[in-house]
Amino acid sequence: MKLTEKRSLFPNERGLEADSYSINLNEDEQLISKTIHQLVEEKILPNMNQLEDHDYTLQKKRMKEVGQLGLMGAEVPEEYGGLEAGKRMSGIIAEKMGYAASFSVAFNIHSGVGTLPYVYFGNEAQKNQYLPKLASGEWIGAYALTEPNAGSDALASKTTAKWNDENQTWTINGEKQWITNAHIANVYVVFANTEQGITAFIVERTFKGVSIGPEEKKLGIKGSSTATLILEDVELDSAQVLGEVGKGHRIALNILNLARLKIAFSNIGMSKQALEFAIKYGKDRQQFGKNIVEFGLIQEKIANMATAIYKSECTAYYTASLLDRQLIDNGKENFISSLARYSMDCSINKVLASESLDMIVDEALQIHGGYGYMQEYEVERLYRDSRINRLFEGTSEINRLTIAKSFLKQYDEEKLNEEIRLEQSVYIRQGKILLNKMLKAVTLSGIEIKQMYQGVIADTVMDVYAMKTAEMNSDHSEVTKQMTQIILEENLQRILERTKRIIVALEGDDLEKSRYLDEIKDLLIPDFINIYEAKENIAKSLIRKGGYYV
């Protein structure tokens, strides 16, 4: 796709090979998955207590072992020691590492925001100096953007960098808060205010004036280092500027978009792990003379958990295929220029996967009953670890605003009407029609689109996006067909209710309001299946196989 073309805002197969967005893995991908599974089971999970006690030596050792397998540099070009494997493979690695508890947070930060700024914004000297070390795990990377007053407003930085003409050096002063990998990192990408604007700098741990505060006492992800990076009169020469002076916002925002997709994949891995814990426990636990997985309400939970995973999985694999296509069509040099057009897609994945994860882990703990509240069961740790995912790399609220604003900026009513005309699924077609009616009610109201309304638009865009990606993957098995049908029905019902509510909220004229609502009533709503029977079938299939296998 050329940068001047109008992109389709909702998933379609045009220009994509089916295996590029399929959730089914090919032989090479299965081999990588098995390698990571073995590594996590043998080297990481048995040492979680030590890692959670901040054994930095062990953590660095494990990171280096992961690097020796080539997993640290999945997206690093081959000439710098990486795999240059693309977003799909990077996502698969992140998903499988999602089983590695809080170690996966350290891994994802290093391989994502700790490494990709050099890949996309570094000059040749910087790439040669840092990427081989980062790809091998010899060095560990970190990303220093957040400050006490710069959280969701990520660019409200108080850290300063001042240029000294006489010495030809930059002097940085400030503090960066909640920096993942703070105590184990060798190098940090640091954002600071200059006279020209936000600028990114490469700061090594050994530079004079760099120090690290104490470990934060966190609710979860205790096995990853989180601390304050303190910068006191740190002097850097111009070679340590990453990208262009005053253009650091391009690095910050674009790299965060990629990080959101990577987190989504990791959350999918954690979700699958939680489901496996729940099924295993439910098959062992007996009440009233039966294994508790035989009870209908437990089966309904299992089916809902699996369907949520499937929804996130289909969406993440599709978005990764979109970005890989951009890399192929535009090359690494122009990829970042096109990435801003996919901020909506990355945010959809972040919200969908992180909020699904919280639901799934909560239900997994519920299936464990009182035992799930005890630390001897791993689901207790998962419950604590999952909560951060709705906060870092952009809160769910910030990502919803990104989705709405990005969609409205690129929205073309004529193009969406053409998509509606060509759409074969009656569920998705009706979902898009309702979205169009919702948008018309918002625009015709003539009022400022408040955040609450933007949230409604974002949720509806997410629902349609997920419906389409699920439908594109639905022919793999009977289970995926049934899960897709549930997604189509439940998402359409949510869209229908939202559309009614927003029309009632925005349309002041009673006659116009009635006309809008009558139009909705006249829509052809498809017949529904026996959703309870479908969920029972899904649950029984997963219980037989012991986890998420579709």
Side-chain angles (χ1 to χ4, degrees):
M1 180 188 292
K2 303 302 179 191
L3 297 184
T4 54
E5 285 184 32
K6 277 274 187 184
R7 62 157 297 203
S8 175
L9 288 172
F10 290 112
N12 65 69
E13 299 90 335
R14 186 172 71 85
L16 297 176
E17 298 294 334
D19 59 356
S20 73
Y21 60 78
S22 170
I23 60 175
N24 287 351
L25 306 186
N26 62 35
E27 286 186 19
D28 288 342
E29 291 166 345
Q30 288 178 21
L31 181 60
I32 288 281
S33 297
K34 288 176 182 175
T35 300
I36 298 171
H37 177 77
Q38 184 176 355
L39 173 76
V40 170
E41 290 292 318
E42 294 179 1
K43 294 290 187 74
I44 297 172
L45 292 182
N47 299 125
M48 274 315 300
N49 287 339
Q50 288 170 266
L51 293 171
E52 291 200 341
D53 286 338
H54 302 301
D55 184 334
Y56 300 135
T57 301
L58 177 63
Q59 190 162 33
K60 289 178 182 179
K61 180 181 179 183
R62 292 291 179 259
M63 292 282 272
K64 193 166 185 179
E65 288 169 347
V66 174
Q68 288 169 346
L69 293 172
L71 303 176
M72 290 292 199
E75 297 176 73
V76 174
E78 290 180 359
E79 60 263 40
Y80 307 108
L83 297 179
E84 202 167 358
K87 305 305 172 189
R88 176 183 170 92
M89 179 59 84
S90 172
I92 291 168
I93 293 170
E95 178 187 327
K96 302 311 172 187
M97 287 297 294
Y99 283 71
S102 47
F103 180 87
S104 69
V105 176
F107 168 82
N108 281 330
I109 291 297
H110 167 88
S111 61
V113 295
T115 298
L116 295 185
Y118 307 94
V119 173
Y120 294 116
F121 295 95
N123 58 39
E124 197 59 33
Q126 290 166 342
K127 289 177 181 179
N128 280 313
Q129 183 174 354
Y130 294 108
L131 284 178
K133 294 176 181 177
L134 293 168
S136 68
E138 180 186 348
W139 275 29
I140 295 170
Y143 186 81
L145 178 63
T146 302
E147 296 182 11
N149 294 310
S152 293
D153 187 5
L155 299 180
S157 176
K158 293 286 193 290
T159 297
T160 61
K162 295 182 179 178
W163 176 251
N164 185 315
D165 260 333
E166 184 179 345
N167 296 333
Q168 292 290 291
T169 58
W170 292 93
T171 302
I172 301 185
N173 282 284
E175 292 187 1
K176 294 294 182 176
Q177 188 180 44
W178 300 335
I179 305 307
T180 302
N181 290 346
H183 275 279
I184 63 171
N186 302 88
V187 63
Y188 310 82
V189 176
V190 175
F191 294 86
N193 261 317
T194 66
E195 288 184 0
Q196 297 89 340
I198 291 287
T199 302
F201 294 89
I202 302 169
V203 178
E204 294 183 21
R205 176 69 179 87
T206 55
F207 287 173
K208 185 179 179 182
V210 176
S211 60
I212 311 297
E215 283 288 345
E216 300 285 357
K217 293 183 166 113
K218 299 172 294 191
L219 170 69
I221 59 168
K222 295 178 183 290
S224 65
S225 174
T226 307
T228 297
L229 174 66
I230 303 165
L231 306 158
E232 297 179 296
D233 293 329
V234 178
E235 289 195 357
L236 307 173
D237 60 34
S238 57
Q240 300 306 116
V241 173
L242 185 62
E244 298 178 55
V245 174
K247 299 289 181 66
H249 62 281
R250 291 186 67 237
I251 301 176
L253 298 178
N254 283 302
I255 293 301
L256 280 176
N257 282 330
L258 295 174
R260 287 165 181 166
L261 180 59
K262 188 180 285 284
I263 283 177
F265 273 105
S266 180
N267 290 173
I268 291 165
M270 290 179 70
S271 296
K272 291 180 180 180
Q273 185 181 39
L275 179 59
E276 288 169 14
F277 287 158
I279 290 175
K280 183 178 184 301
Y281 179 84
K283 290 169 79 170
D284 292 338
R285 176 69 167 168
Q286 285 203 340
Q287 291 288 277
F288 307 105
K290 297 168 69 174
N291 294 330
I292 64 171
V293 291
E294 297 178 49
F295 294 112
L297 289 178
I298 301 298
Q299 291 178 356
E300 184 179 23
K301 290 181 187 298
I302 290 170
N304 288 340
M305 293 158 75
T307 303
I309 293 171
Y310 174 69
K311 187 193 299 186
S312 298
E313 190 173 37
C314 292
T315 303
Y317 278 78
Y318 174 78
T319 302
S321 72
L322 273 186
L323 298 185
D324 280 336
R325 173 53 57 186
Q326 286 299 301
L327 274 167
I328 293 169
D329 288 350
N330 299 312
K332 288 192 290 291
E333 295 75 17
N334 296 317
F335 173 68
I336 288 296
S337 299
S338 67
L339 185 58
R341 303 164 76 221
Y342 295 90
S343 60
M344 179 191 82
D345 307 72
C346 294
S347 287
I348 285 172
N349 281 279
K350 168 66 163 59
V351 175
L352 194 61
S354 64
E355 294 189 352
S356 294
L357 171 63
D358 265 5
M359 179 277 288
I360 289 162
V361 171
D362 187 77
E363 291 287 49
L365 192 150
Q366 188 72 16
I367 289 171
H368 280 72
Y371 288 104
Y373 211 69
M374 304 299 138
Q375 290 187 359
E376 64 191 278
Y377 284 84
E378 288 188 88
V379 74
E380 182 270 346
R381 170 186 50 75
L382 262 180
Y383 188 85
R384 290 183 291 102
D385 284 352
S386 69
R387 187 59 182 86
I388 187 63
N389 291 284
R390 285 159 53 199
L391 299 175
F392 62 11
E393 314 298 18
T395 64
S396 291
E397 292 73 28
I398 287 294
N399 277 287
R400 277 185 167 84
L401 295 178
T402 297
I403 293 164
K405 289 174 182 176
S406 180
F407 179 84
L408 291 169
K409 184 178 180 180
Q410 300 179 75
Y411 168 65
D412 183 321
E413 184 178 1
E414 185 179 331
K415 187 169 182 61
L416 185 54
N417 282 330
E418 179 65 10
E419 284 189 33
I420 290 168
R421 187 182 69 79
L422 296 174
E423 182 57 61
Q424 295 184 352
S425 166
V426 65
Y427 293 93
I428 299 170
R429 188 186 316 126
Q430 302 300 56
K432 290 178 177 178
I433 289 171
L434 288 166
L435 174 60
N436 242 351
K437 291 185 181 298
M438 181 187 297
L439 294 170
K440 193 170 289 186
V442 170
T443 53
L444 290 179
S445 70
I447 67 170
E448 178 188 357
I449 305 178
K450 297 178 181 178
Q451 284 193 359
M452 284 188 187
Y453 303 141
Q454 290 181 50
V456 173
I457 292 169
D459 285 338
T460 304
V461 169
M462 281 194 290
D463 276 343
V464 176
Y465 199 104
M467 290 164 78
K468 187 62 181 177
T469 57
E471 190 250 356
M472 287 164 63
N473 274 284
S474 63
D475 60 351
H476 292 147
S477 68
E478 192 59 34
V479 168
T480 57
K481 288 177 184 175
Q482 290 177 320
M483 289 196 292
T484 298
Q485 189 63 33
I486 290 169
I487 291 167
L488 293 174
E489 291 191 12
E490 292 184 342
N491 283 19
L492 183 58
Q493 282 297 314
R494 283 199 298 270
I495 294 170
L496 184 62
E497 288 306 310
R498 283 193 213 108
T499 308
K500 290 177 182 176
R501 286 183 197 144
I502 207 163
I503 287 170
V504 169
L506 291 175
E507 184 52 65
D509 185 285
D510 287 343
L511 286 176
E512 280 296 295
K513 189 183 298 182
S514 296
R515 185 177 67 81
Y516 271 126
L517 293 175
D518 286 342
E519 285 179 5
I520 292 173
K521 286 178 187 175
D522 291 340
L523 284 176
L524 175 65
I525 301 298
D527 293 331
F528 296 129
I529 64 165
N530 183 340
I531 206 164
Y532 302 108
E533 182 180 43
K535 289 184 177 182
E536 183 179 9
N537 292 338
I538 292 166
K540 286 182 176 178
S541 175
L542 269 63
I543 290 165
R544 281 196 301 272
K545 294 177 179 178
Y548 182 83
Y549 300 96
V550 299

PDB file of all heavy atoms in Angstrom, residues 8 145 156 451 489 517:
ATOM      1  N   SER A   8      -8.056   0.992   4.251  1.00  0.00           N
ATOM      2  CA  SER A   8      -9.292   0.479   4.817  1.00  0.00           C
ATOM      3  C   SER A   8      -9.136   0.460   6.332  1.00  0.00           C
ATOM      4  O   SER A   8      -8.189  -0.115   6.862  1.00  0.00           O
ATOM      5  CB  SER A   8      -9.564  -0.932   4.296  1.00  0.00           C
ATOM      6  OG  SER A   8     -10.695  -1.476   4.924  1.00  0.00           O
ATOM      7  N   LEU A 145      10.961   7.460  29.564  1.00  0.00           N
ATOM      8  CA  LEU A 145      10.050   8.520  29.126  1.00  0.00           C
ATOM      9  C   LEU A 145       9.242   9.094  30.291  1.00  0.00           C
ATOM     10  O   LEU A 145       9.131  10.301  30.464  1.00  0.00           O
ATOM     11  CB  LEU A 145       9.109   7.974  28.044  1.00  0.00           C
ATOM     12  CG  LEU A 145       8.045   8.920  27.493  1.00  0.00           C
ATOM     13  CD1 LEU A 145       8.684  10.115  26.802  1.00  0.00           C
ATOM     14  CD2 LEU A 145       7.128   8.175  26.512  1.00  0.00           C
ATOM     15  N   ALA A 156       5.062  15.673  28.468  1.00  0.00           N
ATOM     16  CA  ALA A 156       5.163  16.801  29.403  1.00  0.00           C
ATOM     17  C   ALA A 156       6.405  16.652  30.270  1.00  0.00           C
ATOM     18  O   ALA A 156       6.351  16.662  31.492  1.00  0.00           O
ATOM     19  CB  ALA A 156       3.906  16.882  30.263  1.00  0.00           C
ATOM     20  N   GLN A 451     -15.312  13.268  25.596  1.00  0.00           N
ATOM     21  CA  GLN A 451     -14.563  12.023  25.791  1.00  0.00           C
ATOM     22  C   GLN A 451     -15.475  10.823  25.971  1.00  0.00           C
ATOM     23  O   GLN A 451     -15.160   9.723  25.504  1.00  0.00           O
ATOM     24  CB  GLN A 451     -13.617  12.160  26.986  1.00  0.00           C
ATOM     25  CG  GLN A 451     -12.374  12.975  26.700  1.00  0.00           C
ATOM     26  CD  GLN A 451     -11.326  12.832  27.778  1.00  0.00           C
ATOM     27  OE1 GLN A 451     -11.514  12.136  28.784  1.00  0.00           O
ATOM     28  NE2 GLN A 451     -10.187  13.485  27.583  1.00  0.00           N
ATOM     29  N   GLU A 489     -22.436 -12.291  17.385  1.00  0.00           N
ATOM     30  CA  GLU A 489     -23.717 -12.001  18.036  1.00  0.00           C
ATOM     31  C   GLU A 489     -23.551 -11.041  19.219  1.00  0.00           C
ATOM     32  O   GLU A 489     -24.293 -10.052  19.322  1.00  0.00           O
ATOM     33  CB  GLU A 489     -24.380 -13.296  18.497  1.00  0.00           C
ATOM     34  CG  GLU A 489     -24.855 -14.168  17.349  1.00  0.00           C
ATOM     35  CD  GLU A 489     -25.737 -15.313  17.813  1.00  0.00           C
ATOM     36  OE1 GLU A 489     -26.164 -15.301  18.986  1.00  0.00           O
ATOM     37  OE2 GLU A 489     -26.005 -16.209  16.999  1.00  0.00           O
ATOM     38  N   LEU A 517     -34.327   6.060  15.717  1.00  0.00           N
ATOM     39  CA  LEU A 517     -34.580   4.800  16.429  1.00  0.00           C
ATOM     40  C   LEU A 517     -35.434   3.859  15.593  1.00  0.00           C
ATOM     41  O   LEU A 517     -35.250   2.631  15.641  1.00  0.00           O
ATOM     42  CB  LEU A 517     -35.257   5.091  17.777  1.00  0.00           C
ATOM     43  CG  LEU A 517     -34.378   5.841  18.788  1.00  0.00           C
ATOM     44  CD1 LEU A 517     -35.176   6.191  20.038  1.00  0.00           C
ATOM     45  CD2 LEU A 517     -33.139   5.034  19.162  1.00  0.00           C
TER      46      LEU A 517
END
